[in-house]
Amino acid sequence: MTTKKEPRRKLALVIGIGKYDHCEELQNPENDANDMSDALESIGFLVTKKLDLKRAEMKHVVIDFEELIEPDDMVLFYFAGHGIQWEDRNYLIPKDTPTLNGAALNKNAINAQHILNTLSDRKPYVTIFLLDCCRKYHLRNPEVDARDPDASGSKSVGLKAMSKADSLIAFACAPGTIAIEEKGQKNGLFTKHLLKHIRTANEDIQMILRDVTDGVMEESKSKQIPFVSASLSKKNICLCSQQINQPRRP
């Protein structure tokens, strides 16, 4: 007698931060997180959604989510908000991060690679990172100012590429560039197109992200180009898997 295999669990942590205490507020992240949570729940994910987290809260949320992960789970992490690269590290900016120079980011922001490592260490089937956080974010940079008196006094750099075995990381825009923050739009451009395709049944995530990239490039006239870094050993990784009913033989 063949035992029917249970469907693989699908877990998602969705975070949106737009109401910042010390830097420019963003209008899209709350909508992005709400809409992404709804989409993921509709295709079978168990979603943990959090909005406008302070640093301590965000660290605890990640730890709690990590504890839920069991081997062979499909794990997805989504973040919408401010993000910045500093000295080859990517940082996600919580609600209460003060205006600071890059050297203080390690104590006041969240290292994105650390989250990826932490979740991946639980040995999930795959870890998927979706980062819509390459928005404009200024750092005071006294060292650069000292070397270059004509410098603007601030630095804004998009995120750098990341990697981890059996993971896929999708960025809203290419390394070193900044995502477009259009006024009057409900969702960020990357998330807008992600929402159009993420419910596609039995479609590999990499194919979905190609459609997302195509849509973002077309709408932005190639001013914003999403970027994907994949280190996958598995094939046919579908966020939405549906059994296709075969016609019965007569």
Side-chain angles (χ1 to χ4, degrees):
M1 181 176 178
T2 303
T3 303
K4 185 178 179 181
K5 187 177 180 181
E6 289 294 321
R8 178 175 287 109
R9 286 202 320 166
K10 299 188 291 187
L11 307 179
L13 175 56
V14 174
I15 297 174
I17 302 177
K19 296 179 175 68
Y20 284 91
D21 294 339
H22 306 290
C23 61
E24 179 185 357
E25 290 195 3
L26 300 170
Q27 65 176 2
N28 299 136
E30 183 172 341
N31 292 333
D32 291 340
N34 287 333
D35 292 346
M36 186 59 61
S37 295
D38 291 344
L40 291 171
E41 286 178 347
S42 76
I43 57 175
F45 275 83
L46 302 173
V47 178
T48 301
K49 180 186 72 176
K50 299 292 181 179
L51 301 174
D52 297 324
L53 295 174
K54 297 180 179 180
R55 183 176 183 269
E57 295 170 335
M58 190 166 168
K59 289 182 69 176
H60 287 301
V61 164
V62 171
I63 291 171
D64 290 343
F65 182 70
E66 172 200 351
E67 292 297 322
L68 298 175
I69 300 171
E70 298 174 0
D72 208 39
D73 287 343
M74 177 180 286
V75 173
L76 186 148
F77 175 81
Y78 172 89
F79 180 85
H82 278 303
I84 191 70
Q85 174 195 157
W86 182 264
E87 294 184 345
D88 292 330
R89 296 187 182 95
N90 291 332
Y91 292 95
L92 308 180
I93 308 300
K95 171 183 171 62
D96 59 341
T97 298
T99 303
L100 39 76
N101 59 48
L105 277 171
N106 201 43
K107 294 182 179 180
N108 294 277
I110 303 291
N111 188 312
Q113 184 70 49
H114 288 175
I115 298 178
L116 177 59
N117 293 345
T118 296
L119 302 186
S120 297
D121 287 346
R122 302 287 291 187
K123 306 300 181 185
Y125 178 73
V126 65
T127 306
I128 297 169
F129 256 46
L130 303 174
L131 301 178
D132 195 351
C133 57
C134 307
R135 269 87 159 195
K136 191 174 183 181
Y137 180 77
H138 290 297
L139 289 173
R140 292 202 309 269
N141 196 349
E143 294 180 4
V144 171
D145 295 344
R147 293 194 302 267
D148 183 4
D150 296 325
S152 64
S154 63
K155 182 181 181 180
S156 187
V157 181
L159 303 185
K160 72 181 290 289
M162 296 164 58
S163 65
K164 184 75 176 178
D166 285 319
S167 70
L168 180 147
I169 304 99
F171 302 87
C173 53
T177 64
I178 298 171
I180 298 169
E181 178 80 356
E182 293 186 347
K183 303 298 182 184
Q185 296 292 320
K186 180 184 179 185
N187 298 112
L189 189 56
F190 174 70
T191 296
K192 173 184 175 181
H193 287 273
L194 192 56
L195 290 167
K196 288 182 180 180
H197 299 285
I198 201 167
R199 293 183 177 92
T200 306
N202 304 318
E203 183 83 305
D204 185 277
I205 180 62
Q206 296 192 77
M207 299 303 294
I208 285 176
L209 288 169
R210 289 178 186 176
D211 289 335
V212 172
T213 297
D214 183 60
V216 171
M217 289 178 62
E218 181 177 357
E219 186 168 342
S220 70
K221 297 180 172 57
S222 295
K223 293 179 181 178
Q224 181 174 331
I225 305 173
F227 175 77
V228 177
S229 173
S231 303
L232 300 173
S233 61
K234 315 291 194 306
K235 296 180 179 179
N236 301 320
I237 296 174
C238 302
L239 300 186
C240 178
S241 297
Q242 293 183 358
Q243 185 174 356
I244 300 174
N245 294 324
Q246 299 292 341
R248 293 183 179 180
R249 292 182 179 181

